[in-house]
Amino acid sequence: MRTETPQPVRLSDYRPPTHTIDEVALTVRLAPQKTLVSARLKVRPNPKSDAGPDAPLVLDGEAIELRGIMLDGVPLAQGDYAVTDESLTIARVPAGPFELEIETACNPEANTALSGLYRSNGTYCTQCEAQGFRRITYYPDRPDVLARFTTRIEARRSDAPVLLANGNLVDSGEIEGTEKHYAVWEDPFPKPAYLFALVAGNLAVFEDSFTTMSGREVALKIYVEPGKEDRCAWAMASLKSAMRWDEETFGREYDLDIFMIVAVPDFNMGAMENKGLNVFNDKYILARPDTATDQDYANIERIIAHEYFHNWTGNRITCRDWFQLCLKEGLTVFRDQEFSSDVRSRPVRRISDVRLLRSQQFSEDAGPLAHPVRPSSYIEINNFYTATVYEKGAEVVRMLHTLIGGQAFRAGMDLYFARHDGEAVTMEDFVACMAEASGRDLSQFFAWYEQAGTPRLIVTDSYDETAGTYSLTVAQETPPTPDQPDKKPLDIPFAVGLVGPDGQEMPLVLDGEGAMERPVLELTQREQTFRFRDVAARPVPSLNRGFSAPVRLETDLGDGDWLFLMSHDSDPFNRWEAAQIYAKRLLIRLAGDASSGAPLADAPDFAEALGRSLRDQSLEPAFKAELLGLPSETDLAGEIARNVDPQAIHDARRHLQASLGRALSGELQDIYERFATSGPYSPDADSAGRRGLRNAALGLIAMADGERGAAQAFEHFRTAENMTDTIAALSALTRTNRPERDRALDAFYAAHSGDHLLVDKWLMLNAAIPFPETLERVRTLMEHEAFSITRPNNVRALIGAFAGLNPATFNDPSGDGYRLLADVVLELDPLNPQVAARLSGSFKTWRMLEPGRRALAKAEIERIRACKTLSRDVYEIVTRILG
Ligand code: B3K
Ligand code: ZN
């Protein structure tokens, strides 16, 4: 708990560590309330430090009790060291190598912050990124201190029959004369403390093995709570497919003899890439057709791959400091995106990535929490595991790939691995490898890492019929963001195509240069004009194909152009994008009408174009399902940006869905019937795509006609043979205000109350019901036996979904939604600051609201900020949000 105003840490203040640690030998004697940790550290002054060899040794430590300390075998006297709430300082240490032995105690059971060593449903586990290791022992807890770890764990066998840590198991056995046993794990690869992990408990294991490209046998083990072994097969298959892909695509081979994953129910985020011992939120491991949806299966595959890929991008090569977080996260997200694009559908994955980017990152970039992909200061680093660092970070890597081409990119990666293996490096080091491999100057490009805000590209065109030339003029500007009023022009890869009046692709011949090898224009100035020749007729431009740059586009294309691109663009992403843009324009007009009480019109042209696409045999079902998904309410709010009325946006969207459902009822019913699956469930992308399309059709059918739609959705629920269909039926029903909705929700809870993952789905469905009564429902559910505020998955499912997926109700004009969220943040903050801070981020768009809601939201944010004992985490978020 904070006692004075938290101070920011700045990138410009980075100094190399005064000391480095070569070896760490830990002995951890586990006990629920008093775990004893003894750490033997081989320390030496860092020759690269500018502080000199006499610098005091300062170790980080938090929420631990110091029980003893020895330097080179001699106990230190009280006056030799100083301990505060956050550190242990030894003023005088030898100028050469020395050994330090530190005894501490911690209380895993009382650790509700879930950072450091804690217990999840009886299992001991750790989470050390970013700064959890200091809650286990005193240590230089920073990523540029890399040491070899040996971990000895001792525990009562009855309490924890399985004892795991990073690396290879080198010894284990009974401790004579006690009920305890021990295991010793040795990790040969030097690593920063944030990658340390320890797990102990009563766990079952699901095993397999993998033969690497050089013929080494790697044991693969997934540990779960006993009884859940039958839900591990998909996670294991995903792991093996990711291992193979990384060998084939990047030449990366796994490096230890064993790879372990542990699934626990209580976890602050999705998963963690600890060396050789990944710890996962069990939501992203456990899957069986009757417990997990297609979306769950896809998420498991993606997250397993992501954490596995970190072994090279993050673990073997790590970050010099936490400002470089995107070095591992942006790059690893890019790698997991490429992986699923290769094993599933590339356009569909691109669409879902762009949806996520728009809804999470663009909104972050447009508000008070905007920050560069590489921030320059922070108060609490855990607040920077953001959509900007992850998703925009991945976009920046993707743009590099587009600019220099796939071959040079691979050469750049090879160089990066060869040059920096075993090091802690910076973004500059990474980009230098790409520059060297491609022979290009990437200095202007680097601004993508340092400049916040979503650039706007303003595109105008002109056609000269007599000369047969067509010109595109592109202006770029990036709006001001907190602390960055003036922006430089960026180096932007802008993929384009020209679609002729007959719907055919036209050749791209740049005036004065000849045919373009790759259809990518490079924007580097505030304004540029590109002239194409041999253009026989006026084309419709297809801009930013594949979303080659994370920008907002402004064009003077009209409704007719978008409908045309929606049917004819050869770039599948842009076909989807054209539908999104058309729908966005329509919905913004409708929201205006809804706000002013004007009648809401139908959209026959849009319905007709969608109908054509639905009948187009060349399009895959998963892609068609994406076409049916309208832009989210959050995206629309972000587009409107001023005086936002969330209820009007919601009403407009509902109206359009209902209207499309009626106009397309024939096609939708046809899809519903034709795409019914038979035979056993298979999670593969094609089958999932078919179910996805059918369920998207059901969603619109349910909106079109309250009574008949609800009856059909209820029937879908009643007859569902897998969890995908069950949840699709329920989510269609939650959007209706019909009695079938609560009948189905009650039946679901009665059937699945014993399964915490399914209970979370139920909480989420309840929280997303878009009607004012949901406020009361959420408050009641917080008292339900199924809900506990100390379980992050419960909190995300109920409160996170309410604030994030239900804008109309969260932004209820009474201000009750804001009050509810503020109450939860204040209650949760002393227990789990990381999750509380994340929740408080839901207020980030308050300034865009219309004046009434804006004032109510502001008052609640101020109520949070007024709390004197706020954690650094929540303090930082609410202070930034208020600006
Ligand atoms: N590296 C972890 C996230 C850690 C979050 C710490 N607050 C998972 C991942 O991105 O792979
Ligand atoms: Zn990651």
Side-chain angles (χ1 to χ4, degrees):
M1 210 57 52
R2 147 179 93 83
T3 46
E4 53 214 44
T5 310
Q7 292 306 307
V9 182
R10 290 177 212 286
L11 170 57
S12 54
D13 290 341
Y14 174 82
R15 297 288 174 277
T18 58
H19 295 79
T20 62
I21 314 266
D22 294 315
E23 273 170 51
V24 181
L26 286 178
T27 300
V28 182
R29 299 184 174 90
L30 291 169
Q33 282 151 13
K34 193 163 213 143
T35 287
L36 302 178
V37 178
S38 106
R40 212 171 56 236
L41 313 178
K42 291 216 159 81
V43 191
R44 76 189 145 83
N46 178 13
K48 291 194 190 116
S49 160
D50 42 25
D54 305 326
L57 177 69
V58 185
L59 303 177
D60 303 297
E62 181 184 298
I64 48 179
E65 178 203 332
L66 181 65
R67 295 166 61 96
I69 177 162
M70 294 203 293
L71 201 158
D72 283 333
V74 182
L76 290 186
Q78 290 261 324
D80 296 339
Y81 61 90
V83 178
T84 71
D85 282 354
E86 297 183 341
S87 65
L88 163 64
T89 303
I90 308 175
R92 287 151 53 101
V93 288
F98 59 96
E99 200 176 277
L100 206 57
E101 263 186 272
I102 305 175
E103 309 280 334
T104 52
C106 62
N107 182 346
E109 204 135 275
N111 183 354
T112 53
L114 313 192
S115 160
L117 176 67
Y118 67 96
R119 291 189 98 189
S120 173
N121 220 11
T123 301
Y124 292 93
C125 61
T126 55
Q127 172 55 37
C128 294
E129 186 177 3
Q131 300 180 329
F133 192 70
R134 63 186 62 184
R135 295 163 63 89
I136 297 175
T137 184
Y138 287 99
Y139 196 77
D141 192 4
R142 43 188 289 169
D144 56 354
V145 172
L146 279 73
R148 271 186 307 278
F149 281 69
T150 303
T151 310
R152 177 185 165 100
I153 312 168
E154 300 179 6
R156 297 163 78 95
R157 194 180 269 284
S158 55
D159 208 19
V162 173
L163 306 175
L164 310 174
N166 318 82
N168 300 310
L169 180 66
V170 293
D171 190 12
S172 64
E174 303 303 318
I175 303 178
E176 295 286 322
T178 71
E179 287 164 18
K180 291 183 174 177
H181 69 145
Y182 72 92
V184 182
W185 293 82
E186 209 175 81
D187 182 356
F189 293 96
K191 65 168 176 286
Y194 84 86
L195 291 172
F196 170 81
L198 170 163
V199 174
N202 179 18
L203 297 165
V205 62
F206 182 90
E207 298 186 72
D208 204 333
S209 72
F210 180 84
T211 310
T212 70
M213 61 189 190
S214 71
R216 272 188 316 106
E217 198 67 7
V218 178
L220 306 179
K221 302 187 187 224
I222 299 181
Y223 290 90
V224 293
E225 294 180 338
K228 298 189 174 153
E229 303 89 313
D230 64 342
R231 299 197 202 181
C232 298
W234 178 251
M236 186 61 90
S238 302
L239 173 61
K240 289 163 78 176
S241 122
M243 292 177 88
R244 190 61 76 209
W245 183 90
D246 214 15
E247 293 186 345
E248 286 167 357
T249 315
F250 284 105
R252 297 297 107 200
E253 187 176 359
Y254 185 64
D255 50 9
L256 288 163
D257 301 332
I258 177 167
F259 186 79
M260 298 176 281
I261 293 177
V262 183
V264 295
D266 304 303
F267 208 61
N268 277 350
M269 61 266 171
M272 177 63 211
E273 70 264 24
N274 318 300
K275 182 77 188 188
L277 178 57
N278 287 187
V279 178
F280 270 64
N281 188 325
D282 61 3
K283 171 180 160 121
Y284 296 118
I285 292 293
L286 303 176
R288 221 173 44 198
D290 60 330
T291 64
T293 63
D294 289 332
Q295 188 61 57
D296 293 324
Y297 277 87
N299 285 340
I300 290 169
E301 181 182 74
R302 178 172 64 82
I303 297 176
I304 292 252
H306 179 98
E307 306 310 334
Y308 173 74
F309 296 154
H310 268 314
N311 191 52
W312 277 97
T313 48
N315 301 4
R316 290 284 289 251
I317 305 180
T318 195
C319 304
R320 185 194 73 172
D321 54 73
W322 290 119
F323 296 100
Q324 320 297 328
L325 184 56
C326 58
L327 174 91
K328 71 180 181 79
E329 296 305 347
L331 179 55
T332 304
V333 171
F334 170 78
R335 275 151 55 68
D336 85 57
Q337 292 177 345
E338 284 301 293
F339 166 68
S340 7
S341 302
D342 284 347
V343 303
R344 292 174 174 246
S345 155
R346 184 165 285 271
V348 172
R349 171 80 206 234
R350 188 66 189 136
I351 289 167
S352 75
D353 289 336
V354 172
R355 270 195 205 278
L356 180 74
L357 183 79
R358 280 212 173 106
S359 66
Q360 308 291 314
Q361 202 278 325
F362 280 23
S363 58
E364 184 165 86
D365 235 357
L369 296 183
H371 56 275
V373 171
R374 181 171 72 181
S376 56
S377 85
Y378 60 76
I379 288 178
E380 170 52 62
I381 185 55
N382 286 313
N383 285 333
F384 284 83
Y385 288 73
T386 59
T388 297
V389 170
Y390 276 66
E391 268 65 48
K392 187 174 179 182
E395 292 300 316
V396 176
V397 176
R398 181 170 300 283
M399 285 190 285
L400 268 176
H401 184 277
T402 308
L403 277 176
I404 70 179
Q407 238 178 353
F409 185 85
R410 170 68 203 264
M413 289 296 291
D414 289 348
L415 181 59
Y416 177 65
F417 293 127
R419 182 180 287 173
H420 296 298
D421 187 12
E423 294 180 0
V425 304
T426 61
M427 285 325 306
E428 281 82 352
D429 295 320
F430 174 73
V431 176
C433 291
M434 292 296 162
E436 237 173 277
S438 63
R440 294 177 56 129
D441 176 0
L442 295 171
S443 45
Q444 185 185 4
F445 183 83
F446 202 79
W448 276 108
Y449 287 108
E450 300 182 311
Q451 189 165 285
T454 307
R456 291 192 315 142
L457 297 186
I458 302 112
V459 186
T460 48
D461 68 345
S462 71
Y463 179 60
D464 182 337
E465 199 177 337
T466 24
T469 57
Y470 175 76
S471 304
L472 282 175
T473 298
V474 191
Q476 57 161 301
E477 59 185 54
T478 304
T481 49
D483 301 328
Q484 291 189 333
D486 305 309
K487 308 287 178 156
K488 298 183 282 193
L490 294 159
D491 184 354
I492 304 177
F494 192 50
V496 299
L498 302 180
V499 189
D502 56 354
Q504 295 300 306
E505 196 74 13
M506 294 177 124
L508 287 180
V509 190
L510 262 186
D511 205 15
E513 283 186 31
M516 290 179 75
E517 242 171 75
R518 289 189 308 136
V520 181
L521 303 173
E522 188 172 354
L523 314 176
T524 53
Q525 297 156 29
R526 293 203 189 273
E527 186 175 306
Q528 270 163 289
T529 297
F530 300 89
R531 197 156 69 172
F532 302 94
R533 60 178 165 77
D534 306 335
V535 186
R538 185 184 185 104
V540 179
S542 168
L543 304 168
N544 204 28
R545 281 189 159 170
F547 213 66
S548 61
V551 298
R552 292 184 197 263
L553 258 192
E554 280 172 34
T555 70
D556 42 25
L557 298 189
D559 285 354
D561 297 316
W562 296 116
L563 291 177
F564 176 81
L565 290 172
M566 199 174 144
S567 308
H568 298 292
D569 202 319
S570 65
D571 180 63
F573 177 84
N574 265 11
R575 267 182 97 160
W576 171 81
E577 179 77 331
Q580 290 290 298
I581 293 174
Y582 191 96
K584 221 177 267 177
R585 293 158 63 114
L586 205 61
L587 285 163
I588 290 173
R589 285 198 294 267
L590 286 169
D593 292 343
S595 211
S596 63
L600 305 187
D602 286 333
D605 297 344
F606 186 51
E608 200 183 300
L610 275 180
R612 254 198 316 278
S613 300
L614 290 179
R615 291 186 298 270
D616 184 338
Q617 300 292 332
S618 70
L619 300 173
E620 54 177 328
F623 180 82
K624 291 182 185 174
E626 291 293 350
L627 275 181
L628 292 180
L630 298 179
S632 70
E633 291 172 37
T634 320
D635 290 1
L636 294 165
E639 289 288 324
I640 297 171
R642 252 180 222 103
N643 286 324
V644 168
D645 174 352
Q647 187 63 48
I649 293 178
H650 178 75
D651 294 345
R653 201 165 172 274
R654 267 185 104 74
H655 168 80
L656 183 58
Q657 284 171 327
S659 147
L660 292 173
R662 281 190 297 270
L664 293 170
S665 68
E667 281 89 347
L668 297 172
Q669 285 297 355
D670 180 55
I671 287 174
Y672 187 78
E673 272 139 40
R674 274 194 305 122
F675 285 82
T677 40
S678 53
Y681 172 91
S682 157
D684 70 89
D686 282 340
S687 314
R690 297 170 61 84
R691 279 187 292 271
L693 177 57
R694 183 168 188 247
N695 286 327
L698 176 73
L700 291 181
I701 292 169
M703 296 300 281
D705 175 334
E707 198 173 326
R708 290 219 333 260
Q712 186 168 340
F714 191 81
E715 193 52 19
H716 193 65
F717 171 75
R718 212 184 50 77
T719 56
E721 287 175 359
N722 54 63
M723 193 44 69
T724 304
D725 287 342
T726 303
I727 295 294
L730 284 168
S731 62
L733 284 169
T734 52
R735 272 170 272 133
T736 71
N737 220 349
R738 302 268 321 156
E740 288 92 337
R741 179 190 70 206
D742 289 344
R743 261 171 64 205
L745 283 171
D746 291 349
F748 184 86
Y749 184 74
H752 302 295
S753 61
D755 184 320
H756 68 275
L757 293 180
L758 293 176
V759 168
D760 285 336
K761 291 191 194 302
W762 176 78
L763 289 172
M764 181 180 287
L765 287 160
N766 274 283
I769 297 173
F771 303 108
E773 308 83 81
T774 302
L775 278 159
E776 205 32 58
R777 191 183 280 255
V778 172
R779 288 213 188 260
T780 311
L781 284 172
M782 285 183 67
E783 306 300 320
H784 195 280
E785 56 172 14
F787 181 86
S788 159
I789 199 157
T790 54
R791 274 190 229 123
N793 282 0
N794 278 176
V795 174
R796 280 184 288 255
L798 187 63
I799 313 300
F802 171 68
L805 303 178
N806 194 349
T809 315
F810 171 56
N811 293 288
D812 189 86
S814 65
D816 273 354
Y818 307 139
R819 208 160 304 132
L820 191 159
L821 184 67
D823 288 345
V824 177
V825 168
L826 288 169
E827 183 184 345
L828 186 55
D829 190 39
L831 301 168
N832 188 331
Q834 279 185 43
V835 176
R838 187 86 18 183
L839 276 188
S840 62
S842 309
F843 280 117
K844 70 174 180 282
T845 49
W846 72 279
R847 264 180 217 281
M848 294 195 315
L849 297 165
E850 51 79 23
R853 290 175 170 93
R854 197 190 308 153
L856 292 165
K858 185 174 183 210
E860 291 305 317
I861 313 169
E862 281 173 338
R863 177 159 73 92
I864 301 177
R865 193 176 56 177
C867 168
K868 293 271 177 295
T869 51
L870 283 187
S871 66
R872 261 199 325 241
D873 312 57
V874 171
Y875 171 84
E876 177 175 37
I877 297 289
V878 293
T879 327
R880 281 165 60 209
I881 286 184
L882 287 169

